[in-house]
Amino acid sequence: MFVQFFYMLRERGVPVTPTSFLRLQKALSLGVIGSIDDFYTAARSILVKSERYFDTYDQVFAHYFRGATILEMEDVELTDIAKALLEEWLKHPQEMAEALGLDEEQLSRYTPEELIRYFLDRLKEQKEAHHGGNRWIGTGGTSPVGHSGDHPGGMRVGGTSRNKSAVKVAMERRYRDYSQEGPLTEIQMSEALKRLRRMIPHGPRDVVNVDKTIYETMRNGGEISIVFDRRLSDRLKVILMIDNGGWSMDPYIGIVQTLFNYARSQFKDLKIYYFHNTLYSSIWLDPQRHLRPEAIEEFTRRDPETRLIIVGDAAMAPYELTGANAAIYVGQKESRTSEERLKFLARTFRHAVWLNPQPESSWGYTWTIGAIWKIFPMFELTLDGLEKAVQHLMKRH
Amino acid sequence: MKPIGEPYRFHGASKYVLDDELAKIVNVSMALEMPLLLKGEPGTGKTMLAYAIAESLAMPLIVLNVKSSMKLLDALYQYDTLTRLNDSRFGDSKRDVSNIEEYIRMGKIGQAFVSDCRTVLLIDEIDKADTDFQDDMLDVLDQMQFDIMEIDKTVTAKNRPVIIITSNAKKDLSDPFLGRCNFHHIAFPDPEMMRMILNVHFPDLSEELARASLLTFYRLREFRGIEKKPATRELINWVRALQSDPDFVVKTLENGEIPYLGVLFKKSLDLNLALQQAGRARK
């Protein structure tokens, strides 16, 4: 029964397995499903294993039992659109001027940084009237924590309806909002970063070591001798370096903030530094990158077991990486290239990763990403990438 | 089709408001003898559901609170070596030191298996454990038996427990795990449902207070930038706080003032954000 329904679900991308389908048949034969309403709920709980597919299930159900049309829907995230549009527009300043309602002369007075901000502000105005501060971490007291303004409205509250037929319920598409992947939340981060710890005996000896106790007791000729150990606790040292400069990192503010908040609450020994695009002779402890610089050479004095995590899009002009005097700030005199600095860090800390918020598929298009990739193992700033990065950080070299 | 001869049917318990959909799913899972995996935002009553099922089926409830450091063995049984060592040294207990079985203690899953009557086994927050734990555990629950290595004995479930598993994380559990469970996602209750939940907890709640507090509550949930949104538990505590304050009048809420925000927002950052936004709304 309902074989076609099963295949329709598969076609629409719901991962239904034959086993679960057989289980549905068993449920039918057991007589626990008495009506189409029962079928709707029972089949969903048996076949569909994630709320992300509930919406597709609803559509297929409505289609199968009522012939409703299935909509093709592609959700593209705002940031992606913004990025793509910008890249296109930067090539055609005139079009851009028209679209933003400025004339070209006005436009030319803006720096790219101002332009992007202007553009993003405009986009946000359209989406959400009172969008809060779009500030970088640490620069303001009220940064919007972990919640992304780029996903307007957030998750809708799916109500439970009563006294309605299953098809009607299905056609309401209550789970539409669950079908898209939300931004990475702190909970998910903690899930991925949970294994990033280093257990070291610490504190008073208050845990019984059973094996040693038995051994010592035997040696004692049966006279009990209890051996205590120190409790294991997490002593992992982490250095987090964040690229917080320029507009190229702007779309990722939300996600980096989440990482930042998690790191601050989780790791006991954490140092956070800031840089712009890439590293030169010094790196800053303050987010404005102005007041408290620290020389890169100083890092040799740190524990080499420290885990170094660098977050940045690694996208910049090639000369910033390879030029000997390439720092984009006036007055910053450099003796060595940024590339050398990065290599120095990679040598100092055996456990280091670079997290890139850009999707891995696009890395090949930027030369500097490839160059940095050769120095540091690079991972996407997604759940999957984080997990891989943690695996790498915990590897014994 | 054979007639419905199921002795146990689940209808809902005194303190838990159950919607039809969920009741059906619980019944189907029980009929299929499959664990039911419940996902949903914190505060949607995942854990409470297991309590309600146990109450309405009149079965004892066994709760396994999963911890991140937990090994599967801890949930099955424990071999109490220290007690045995102590007994062998001093010999003042009634236990037989040469019989290891006397030093085996059942863990939560073990208890559910050896219980003389059918039980409800709640495995709470499974997502805290690592995937190995999850998969291995389902093997045990599938076969309804496990081995005690020390005494080479197999424990088989006398009665198949009703298994409820809850998960908070948005991260998906592993495919083999999902394949063996029935799945349900509990949506956050809509105002109508929430009203019923409030009525269950506060039978003497006045109409206007209920309306005003719900209105405020759902408005608060809309606030931007909140990391941990107030959920059912917070609402109930909040209404309790409002009720017990002798100076409180419903008018306050209607004026847009929100007393006891701290009951609703548990994180200081959230509280600050909420205070700002609540203040803005008043003007």
Coordinates of all heavy atoms in Angstrom, one line a residue, chain A residues 23 27-28 30-32 37-38 40-42 44-46 48-52 54 128 130 142 145 147 157-160 162 174 178 186 188 191 194-195 210 222-224 387, chain B residues 1-2 4 9 19 21 24-25 28 31-32 34 39 81-82 85-86 89 127-128 130 170-172 178-179 181-185 187-190 192-193 224-225 227 269 276:
Chain A
R23 N 7.9 -0.8 8.1 CA 7.4 -0.6 9.5 C 6.0 0.1 9.4 O 5.1 -0.2 10.2 CB 8.3 0.3 10.2 CG 8.3 0.0 11.7 CD 9.5 0.7 12.4 NE 10.6 -0.2 12.4 CZ 11.9 0.3 12.2 NH1 12.1 1.5 11.9 NH2 12.9 -0.5 12.2
A27 N 2.5 -1.2 10.9 CA 1.5 -0.3 11.7 C 0.1 -0.4 11.1 O -0.8 -0.5 11.9 CB 2.0 1.1 11.7
L28 N 0.1 -0.4 9.8 CA -1.2 -0.5 9.1 C -1.9 -1.8 9.5 O -3.1 -1.9 9.8 CB -1.1 -0.4 7.6 CG -0.8 1.0 7.1 CD1 -0.3 1.0 5.7 CD2 -2.1 1.9 7.2
L30 N -1.4 -3.7 12.0 CA -1.7 -3.8 13.4 C -3.0 -3.2 13.8 O -3.6 -3.4 14.9 CB -0.6 -3.2 14.3 CG 0.7 -4.0 14.5 CD1 1.7 -3.1 15.2 CD2 0.4 -5.2 15.3
G31 N -3.5 -2.4 12.9 CA -4.8 -1.7 13.1 C -4.7 -0.5 14.0 O -5.7 -0.1 14.5
V32 N -3.5 0.1 14.1 CA -3.5 1.3 15.0 C -3.8 2.5 14.1 O -3.9 3.6 14.7 CB -2.1 1.5 15.6 CG1 -2.0 0.5 16.8 CG2 -1.0 1.2 14.7
D37 N -6.4 10.8 9.0 CA -5.7 11.6 10.0 C -4.6 10.8 10.7 O -3.5 11.3 10.9 CB -6.7 12.2 11.0 CG -7.7 13.1 10.3 OD1 -7.6 13.2 9.1 OD2 -8.5 13.7 11.0
D38 N -5.0 9.6 11.1 CA -4.0 8.8 11.8 C -2.9 8.5 10.9 O -1.7 8.5 11.3 CB -4.7 7.4 12.2 CG -5.7 7.6 13.4 OD1 -5.8 8.7 13.9 OD2 -6.3 6.6 13.7
Y40 N -1.7 10.3 8.5 CA -0.8 11.4 8.3 C 0.2 11.5 9.5 O 1.4 11.6 9.2 CB -1.7 12.7 8.3 CG -0.9 14.0 8.4 CD1 -0.2 14.5 7.4 CD2 -0.9 14.7 9.6 CE1 0.5 15.7 7.5 CE2 -0.2 15.9 9.8 CZ 0.5 16.3 8.7 OH 1.2 17.5 8.8
T41 N -0.3 11.4 10.7 CA 0.7 11.5 11.8 C 1.6 10.3 12.0 O 2.8 10.4 12.1 CB 0.0 11.7 13.2 OG1 -1.2 11.0 13.1 CG2 -0.3 13.2 13.4
A42 N 1.0 9.1 11.8 CA 1.7 7.9 12.0 C 2.8 7.8 11.0 O 4.0 7.5 11.3 CB 0.8 6.7 12.0
R44 N 4.2 10.0 9.3 CA 5.2 11.0 9.4 C 6.2 10.6 10.5 O 7.4 10.7 10.3 CB 4.6 12.4 9.7 CG 5.7 13.5 9.6 CD 5.2 14.8 10.0 NE 4.9 14.8 11.4 CZ 4.0 15.7 11.9 NH1 3.4 16.6 11.2 NH2 3.8 15.6 13.2
S45 N 5.7 10.1 11.6 CA 6.6 9.8 12.7 C 7.4 8.6 12.3 O 8.6 8.4 12.8 CB 5.8 9.6 14.0 OG 5.3 8.3 14.1
I46 N 6.9 7.7 11.5 CA 7.7 6.5 11.1 C 8.6 6.8 10.0 O 9.8 6.3 10.0 CB 6.7 5.4 10.8 CG1 5.9 4.9 12.0 CG2 7.5 4.2 10.2 CD1 4.8 4.0 11.7
V48 N 9.6 10.0 8.5 CA 10.4 11.2 8.4 C 11.1 11.4 9.7 O 10.5 11.4 10.8 CB 9.5 12.4 8.1 CG1 10.3 13.7 7.8 CG2 8.6 12.1 6.9
K49 N 12.4 11.6 9.6 CA 13.2 11.6 10.9 C 13.8 12.9 11.2 O 14.6 13.0 12.1 CB 14.3 10.6 10.7 CG 13.9 9.2 10.4 CD 13.1 8.5 11.4 CE 12.8 7.1 11.0 NZ 11.9 6.4 12.0
S50 N 13.4 14.0 10.5 CA 13.9 15.3 10.9 C 12.8 16.3 10.6 O 12.2 16.2 9.5 CB 15.2 15.6 10.2 OG 15.5 17.0 10.4
E51 N 12.7 17.3 11.4 CA 11.6 18.3 11.2 C 11.9 19.1 9.9 O 11.1 19.8 9.4 CB 11.5 19.2 12.4 CG 12.7 20.2 12.7 CD 13.8 19.6 13.5 OE1 13.7 18.3 13.6 OE2 14.6 20.3 14.0
R52 N 13.2 19.0 9.4 CA 13.5 19.7 8.2 C 12.7 19.2 7.0 O 12.5 19.9 6.1 CB 15.0 19.6 8.0 CG 15.7 21.0 8.1 CD 17.1 20.9 7.7 NE 17.9 20.2 8.7 CZ 18.8 19.2 8.5 NH1 19.0 18.8 7.2 NH2 19.4 18.6 9.4
F54 N 9.7 17.9 7.3 CA 8.2 17.9 7.6 C 7.5 18.7 6.5 O 6.4 18.3 6.1 CB 7.9 18.5 9.0 CG 8.1 17.6 10.1 CD1 8.7 16.3 9.9 CD2 7.6 17.9 11.4 CE1 8.9 15.4 11.0 CE2 7.7 17.0 12.4 CZ 8.4 15.8 12.2
E128 N 13.9 44.4 7.6 CA 13.5 44.5 9.0 C 13.7 46.0 9.4 O 14.8 46.5 9.3 CB 14.4 43.7 9.9 CG 13.7 42.4 10.3 CD 14.6 41.6 11.2 OE1 15.2 42.2 12.1 OE2 14.6 40.4 11.1
H130 N 13.7 47.7 12.3 CA 14.5 48.1 13.4 C 15.6 47.2 13.6 O 15.8 46.7 14.7 CB 13.6 48.1 14.7 CG 12.5 49.1 14.6 ND1 12.6 50.4 14.6 CD2 11.2 48.8 14.4 CE1 11.5 51.0 14.5 NE2 10.5 50.1 14.3
T142 N 26.3 46.1 23.3 CA 25.1 45.4 23.0 C 25.2 44.8 21.6 O 24.4 45.1 20.8 CB 23.9 46.4 23.0 OG1 24.2 47.4 22.0 CG2 23.7 47.0 24.4
V145 N 23.6 39.0 20.0 CA 24.3 37.7 20.3 C 23.8 36.6 19.5 O 22.6 36.2 19.6 CB 24.2 37.4 21.8 CG1 25.0 36.2 22.1 CG2 24.6 38.6 22.6
H147 N 22.3 35.7 17.3 CA 21.1 35.6 16.5 C 21.3 36.4 15.2 O 21.9 37.5 15.2 CB 20.0 36.3 17.3 CG 18.7 36.1 16.8 ND1 17.9 35.0 17.0 CD2 17.9 36.9 16.0 CE1 16.8 35.1 16.3 NE2 16.8 36.3 15.7
V157 N 6.6 30.1 14.8 CA 6.0 29.3 15.9 C 4.9 28.4 15.2 O 3.9 28.9 14.7 CB 5.3 30.1 17.0 CG1 4.7 29.2 18.0 CG2 6.4 30.9 17.6
G158 N 5.3 27.1 15.1 CA 4.3 26.2 14.5 C 3.3 25.8 15.5 O 3.6 25.1 16.5
G159 N 2.1 26.1 15.3 CA 1.0 25.8 16.2 C 0.5 24.4 16.0 O 0.7 23.8 14.9
T160 N -0.2 23.9 16.9 CA -0.9 22.6 16.7 C -2.3 22.9 16.4 O -3.0 23.5 17.2 CB -0.7 21.7 17.9 OG1 -0.9 22.5 19.1 CG2 0.6 21.0 18.0
R162 N -6.3 21.8 15.7 CA -7.2 20.8 16.1 C -8.4 20.9 15.2 O -8.7 21.9 14.5 CB -7.7 20.9 17.5 CG -6.6 20.5 18.5 CD -6.9 21.0 19.9 NE -6.7 22.4 20.0 CZ -5.5 23.0 20.2 NH1 -4.4 22.3 20.3 NH2 -5.4 24.3 20.3
R174 N 2.7 23.9 8.0 CA 3.1 24.5 9.3 C 4.6 24.4 9.5 O 5.2 25.2 10.3 CB 2.5 23.7 10.4 CG 1.0 23.8 10.6 CD 0.6 22.8 11.6 NE 0.7 21.5 11.2 CZ 0.8 20.4 12.0 NH1 0.7 20.6 13.3 NH2 0.9 19.2 11.6
Y178 N 10.9 25.3 9.2 CA 11.9 24.4 9.7 C 12.7 23.8 8.5 O 13.7 23.1 8.7 CB 11.3 23.2 10.4 CG 10.6 23.6 11.7 CD1 9.3 23.8 11.8 CD2 11.4 23.8 12.8 CE1 8.7 24.1 13.0 CE2 10.8 24.2 14.0 CZ 9.5 24.4 14.1 OH 8.9 24.7 15.2
E186 N 24.9 28.7 19.1 CA 25.9 28.4 20.1 C 25.8 26.9 20.6 O 26.8 26.3 20.9 CB 25.7 29.3 21.3 CG 27.0 29.5 22.0 CD 26.9 30.8 23.0 OE1 26.3 31.8 22.6 OE2 27.4 30.6 24.1
Q188 N 24.9 24.4 18.8 CA 25.5 23.5 17.8 C 27.0 23.6 17.9 O 27.7 22.6 17.8 CB 25.0 23.9 16.4 CG 23.6 23.6 16.2 CD 23.1 24.2 14.8 OE1 23.4 25.3 14.5 NE2 22.5 23.4 14.0
E191 N 28.3 21.6 20.6 CA 28.2 20.2 20.2 C 29.5 19.9 19.5 O 30.1 18.8 19.7 CB 27.0 20.1 19.2 CG 26.6 18.7 19.0 CD 26.1 18.1 20.3 OE1 25.5 18.8 21.1 OE2 26.3 16.9 20.5
K194 N 32.9 20.4 21.7 CA 32.9 19.7 23.0 C 34.2 18.9 23.2 O 34.7 18.8 24.3 CB 31.6 18.8 23.1 CG 31.2 18.6 24.5 CD 29.7 18.1 24.6 CE 29.6 16.9 23.7 NZ 28.2 16.5 23.6
R195 N 34.6 18.3 22.1 CA 35.8 17.4 22.3 C 37.1 18.2 22.3 O 38.1 17.6 22.5 CB 35.8 16.4 21.2 CG 34.8 15.4 21.5 CD 34.7 14.4 20.4 NE 33.3 13.9 20.3 CZ 33.0 12.9 19.5 NH1 33.8 12.3 18.8 NH2 31.7 12.6 19.5
V210 N 41.0 2.6 41.2 CA 40.7 1.2 41.5 C 41.8 0.2 41.2 O 42.2 -0.6 42.0 CB 39.3 0.8 40.8 CG1 39.1 -0.7 41.1 CG2 38.2 1.6 41.3
G222 N 46.9 -8.3 51.2 CA 45.5 -8.3 51.5 C 45.1 -7.1 52.4 O 43.9 -6.9 52.6
E223 N 46.1 -6.4 52.9 CA 45.7 -5.3 53.8 C 45.4 -4.1 52.8 O 46.2 -3.7 52.0 CB 47.0 -4.9 54.6 CG 46.7 -4.0 55.8 CD 45.9 -4.6 56.9 OE1 46.0 -5.9 57.0 OE2 45.1 -3.9 57.6
I224 N 44.1 -3.6 53.0 CA 43.7 -2.7 52.0 C 44.5 -1.4 52.0 O 44.7 -0.8 53.1 CB 42.2 -2.4 52.2 CG1 41.4 -3.6 51.8 CG2 41.8 -1.1 51.4 CD1 39.9 -3.4 51.8
E387 N 33.8 20.4 13.2 CA 34.1 19.0 13.7 C 35.4 18.5 13.2 O 36.2 18.0 13.9 CB 32.9 18.1 13.3 CG 32.2 17.6 14.5 CD 30.8 17.1 14.2 OE1 30.7 16.3 13.2 OE2 29.9 17.4 14.9
Chain B
M1 N -7.1 -7.0 8.9 CA -6.7 -6.3 10.1 C -7.3 -6.9 11.4 O -8.4 -7.3 11.4 CB -7.2 -4.8 10.0 CG -6.3 -4.0 9.1 SD -6.7 -2.3 9.6 CE -6.4 -1.5 8.0
K2 N -6.4 -7.0 12.3 CA -7.0 -7.6 13.5 C -7.5 -6.5 14.5 O -7.1 -5.3 14.4 CB -5.9 -8.4 14.2 CG -4.9 -7.6 15.0 CD -3.9 -8.6 15.6 CE -2.9 -7.8 16.5 NZ -1.7 -8.5 16.8
I4 N -8.4 -4.1 17.5 CA -7.4 -3.4 18.4 C -7.5 -4.1 19.8 O -8.5 -3.9 20.5 CB -7.8 -1.9 18.5 CG1 -7.7 -1.3 17.1 CG2 -6.8 -1.2 19.5 CD1 -8.5 0.0 17.0
R9 N -3.4 2.2 26.3 CA -3.7 3.3 25.4 C -3.5 4.6 26.1 O -3.8 4.7 27.3 CB -5.2 3.2 24.9 CG -5.4 2.2 23.8 CD -5.8 2.8 22.6 NE -5.1 2.3 21.4 CZ -5.2 2.8 20.2 NH1 -6.0 3.8 20.0 NH2 -4.6 2.3 19.2
D19 N -1.7 17.2 22.7 CA -2.6 17.4 21.6 C -2.8 16.0 20.9 O -2.0 15.1 21.1 CB -2.0 18.5 20.6 CG -0.7 18.1 20.0 OD1 -0.7 17.4 19.1 OD2 0.3 18.6 20.6
E21 N -2.4 14.9 18.0 CA -1.3 14.4 17.1 C -0.3 13.6 17.9 O 0.1 12.4 17.5 CB -0.6 15.6 16.4 CG 0.1 15.3 15.2 CD 0.7 16.6 14.6 OE1 0.9 17.5 15.3 OE2 0.9 16.6 13.3
K24 N -1.5 10.2 19.2 CA -1.5 9.2 18.1 C -0.1 8.6 18.0 O 0.0 7.4 17.9 CB -2.0 9.8 16.8 CG -3.5 9.9 16.6 CD -3.8 10.5 15.3 CE -5.2 11.1 15.3 NZ -5.3 12.1 14.3
I25 N 0.8 9.5 17.9 CA 2.2 9.1 17.7 C 2.7 8.2 18.8 O 3.3 7.1 18.6 CB 3.1 10.3 17.5 CG1 2.8 10.9 16.2 CG2 4.6 9.9 17.5 CD1 3.4 12.3 15.9
V28 N 1.1 4.8 18.3 CA 1.7 4.0 17.2 C 3.0 3.5 17.6 O 3.3 2.3 17.4 CB 1.8 4.9 15.9 CG1 2.7 4.3 14.9 CG2 0.5 5.2 15.3
A31 N 2.6 0.5 19.8 CA 2.1 -0.7 19.1 C 3.2 -1.3 18.3 O 3.4 -2.5 18.2 CB 1.0 -0.3 18.1
L32 N 4.1 -0.4 17.7 CA 5.2 -1.0 16.9 C 6.4 -1.4 17.8 O 7.4 -1.8 17.3 CB 5.7 0.1 15.9 CG 4.8 0.3 14.7 CD1 5.3 1.5 13.9 CD2 4.8 -0.9 13.8
M34 N 8.5 0.5 19.2 CA 9.7 1.3 18.9 C 9.9 2.5 19.8 O 9.0 3.0 20.3 CB 9.6 1.8 17.4 CG 9.9 0.8 16.4 SD 9.6 1.4 14.8 CE 10.8 2.7 14.6
K39 N 11.9 15.6 19.5 CA 12.8 16.8 19.4 C 12.0 18.0 19.6 O 10.8 18.0 19.4 CB 13.5 16.8 18.0 CG 14.9 16.3 18.1 CD 15.5 16.1 16.7 CE 16.0 17.3 16.0 NZ 16.6 17.0 14.8
T81 N 33.4 -3.1 42.3 CA 34.6 -3.8 42.8 C 35.1 -3.4 44.2 O 35.6 -4.2 44.9 CB 35.8 -3.5 41.8 OG1 35.7 -2.1 41.4 CG2 35.7 -4.3 40.5
L82 N 34.8 -2.1 44.5 CA 35.3 -1.6 45.8 C 34.6 -2.3 46.9 O 35.3 -2.7 47.9 CB 35.1 -0.1 45.8 CG 36.3 0.8 45.4 CD1 36.1 2.2 45.8 CD2 37.6 0.3 46.1
L85 N 35.9 -5.7 47.3 CA 37.3 -5.7 47.9 C 37.1 -5.5 49.4 O 37.8 -6.2 50.2 CB 38.1 -4.5 47.3 CG 39.5 -4.4 47.7 CD1 40.3 -5.6 47.2 CD2 40.1 -3.1 47.2
N86 N 36.3 -4.6 49.7 CA 36.0 -4.3 51.2 C 35.5 -5.6 51.9 O 35.9 -5.9 53.0 CB 35.0 -3.1 51.3 CG 34.9 -2.7 52.7 OD1 35.9 -2.3 53.3 ND2 33.7 -2.8 53.3
R89 N 38.0 -8.2 52.5 CA 38.9 -7.9 53.5 C 38.3 -8.1 54.9 O 38.9 -8.6 55.8 CB 39.4 -6.4 53.3 CG 40.3 -5.9 54.4 CD 41.6 -6.6 54.3 NE 42.5 -6.2 55.4 CZ 42.4 -6.6 56.7 NH1 41.5 -7.5 57.0 NH2 43.2 -6.2 57.6
D127 N 21.3 13.7 22.9 CA 22.3 14.4 22.1 C 23.6 14.8 22.9 O 24.6 15.2 22.3 CB 21.7 15.7 21.5 CG 20.9 16.5 22.5 OD1 19.9 16.0 23.1 OD2 21.3 17.6 22.7
K128 N 23.5 14.7 24.2 CA 24.7 15.1 25.0 C 25.8 14.0 24.8 O 27.0 14.3 24.9 CB 24.4 15.2 26.5 CG 23.8 16.5 26.9 CD 23.7 16.5 28.4 CE 22.9 17.7 28.9 NZ 22.5 17.5 30.3
D130 N 28.1 10.9 23.0 CA 28.6 10.9 21.6 C 27.9 9.8 20.8 O 27.1 9.0 21.3 CB 30.2 10.7 21.7 CG 30.5 9.5 22.5 OD1 29.6 8.6 22.8 OD2 31.7 9.4 22.9
K170 N 19.8 20.8 17.5 CA 19.3 20.9 16.2 C 20.2 20.0 15.3 O 19.8 19.7 14.2 CB 19.4 22.4 15.7 CG 18.6 23.3 16.5 CD 17.9 24.3 15.5 CE 16.9 25.1 16.3 NZ 17.5 26.4 16.7
K171 N 21.3 19.6 15.8 CA 22.1 18.7 15.0 C 21.5 17.4 14.9 O 20.9 16.9 15.8 CB 23.4 18.6 15.8 CG 24.5 17.8 15.1 CD 25.6 17.5 16.0 CE 26.5 16.4 15.4 NZ 27.3 15.7 16.4
D172 N 21.6 16.8 13.7 CA 20.9 15.5 13.5 C 21.6 14.4 14.2 O 22.8 14.4 14.2 CB 20.8 15.2 12.0 CG 19.7 16.0 11.3 OD1 18.8 16.5 12.1 OD2 19.7 16.1 10.1
L178 N 18.4 7.2 13.9 CA 17.1 7.7 13.5 C 16.2 6.6 12.9 O 15.0 6.5 13.1 CB 17.2 8.8 12.5 CG 17.8 10.1 13.0 CD1 18.2 11.1 11.9 CD2 16.9 10.7 14.0
G179 N 16.9 5.7 12.1 CA 16.2 4.6 11.5 C 15.5 3.7 12.4 O 14.5 3.0 12.1
C181 N 14.1 4.7 15.3 CA 13.2 5.4 16.2 C 12.0 5.9 15.4 O 12.1 6.1 14.2 CB 13.8 6.6 16.8 SG 15.2 6.2 17.9
N182 N 10.9 6.1 16.1 CA 9.9 6.9 15.5 C 10.2 8.4 15.9 O 10.8 8.6 17.0 CB 8.5 6.6 16.1 CG 7.9 5.5 15.3 OD1 8.3 5.1 14.3 ND2 6.8 4.9 15.9
F183 N 9.8 9.3 15.1 CA 10.3 10.6 15.3 C 9.1 11.6 15.4 O 8.1 11.5 14.7 CB 11.2 11.1 14.1 CG 11.6 12.5 14.2 CD1 12.6 12.9 15.0 CD2 10.9 13.4 13.4 CE1 12.9 14.2 15.1 CE2 11.3 14.7 13.4 CZ 12.3 15.1 14.3
H184 N 9.3 12.5 16.4 CA 8.3 13.6 16.4 C 9.0 14.9 16.8 O 9.8 14.8 17.7 CB 7.1 13.3 17.3 CG 6.1 14.4 17.2 ND1 5.4 14.7 16.1 CD2 5.6 15.2 18.2 CE1 4.6 15.7 16.3 NE2 4.6 16.0 17.6
H185 N 8.6 15.9 16.2 CA 9.1 17.2 16.6 C 8.0 18.0 17.2 O 6.9 18.2 16.7 CB 9.6 18.0 15.3 CG 10.1 19.3 15.6 ND1 9.3 20.5 15.7 CD2 11.3 19.7 15.9 CE1 10.1 21.5 16.0 NE2 11.3 21.1 16.1
A187 N 6.3 21.2 18.3 CA 6.4 22.6 18.0 C 6.1 23.4 19.3 O 5.5 22.9 20.2 CB 5.4 23.0 16.9
F188 N 6.5 24.7 19.3 CA 6.2 25.5 20.4 C 4.7 25.7 20.5 O 4.1 26.0 19.5 CB 6.9 26.8 20.4 CG 7.0 27.5 21.7 CD1 7.9 27.1 22.6 CD2 6.0 28.4 22.0 CE1 7.9 27.7 23.9 CE2 6.0 29.0 23.3 CZ 7.0 28.7 24.2
P189 N 4.1 25.6 21.7 CA 2.6 25.6 21.7 C 2.1 27.0 21.2 O 2.7 28.0 21.5 CB 2.3 25.5 23.2 CG 3.6 25.0 23.9 CD 4.7 25.3 23.0
D190 N 1.0 27.0 20.5 CA 0.4 28.3 20.1 C -0.4 28.8 21.3 O -0.6 28.1 22.3 CB -0.5 28.1 18.8 CG -1.6 27.1 19.1 OD1 -1.7 26.6 20.2 OD2 -2.2 26.7 18.1
E192 N -3.4 29.4 22.0 CA -4.6 28.6 22.4 C -4.2 27.5 23.3 O -4.7 27.2 24.4 CB -5.3 28.2 21.2 CG -6.7 27.8 21.3 CD -7.3 27.2 20.0 OE1 -6.8 27.7 19.0 OE2 -8.1 26.3 20.1
M193 N -3.2 26.7 22.8 CA -2.6 25.6 23.5 C -2.0 26.0 24.8 O -2.3 25.4 25.9 CB -1.6 24.9 22.6 CG -1.1 23.6 23.2 SD -2.3 22.4 22.9 CE -1.5 21.0 23.7
R224 N 14.2 40.6 19.5 CA 15.3 40.2 18.6 C 16.6 40.0 19.5 O 16.8 40.6 20.5 CB 15.6 41.3 17.6 CG 14.8 41.1 16.3 CD 15.1 42.2 15.4 NE 14.6 43.4 16.0 CZ 13.3 43.9 15.9 NH1 12.5 43.2 15.2 NH2 12.9 45.0 16.4
G225 N 17.4 39.0 19.0 CA 18.7 38.9 19.6 C 18.7 38.1 20.9 O 19.7 37.9 21.5
E227 N 19.0 34.9 23.1 CA 19.6 33.6 22.9 C 18.7 32.5 23.4 O 18.5 31.5 22.7 CB 20.9 33.6 23.5 CG 21.8 32.5 23.0 CD 23.1 32.4 23.8 OE1 23.6 33.4 24.2 OE2 23.5 31.3 24.1
L269 N 22.8 38.8 29.4 CA 22.7 39.5 28.1 C 21.3 39.6 27.6 O 20.9 40.6 27.1 CB 23.6 38.8 27.1 CG 25.1 39.2 27.0 CD1 25.8 38.3 26.0 CD2 25.2 40.7 26.6
Q276 N 15.9 46.6 27.3 CA 16.0 47.7 26.4 C 14.7 47.7 25.5 O 14.1 48.7 25.3 CB 17.2 47.5 25.4 CG 18.5 48.0 26.1 CD 19.6 47.6 25.2 OE1 19.4 47.2 24.0 NE2 20.8 47.7 25.7

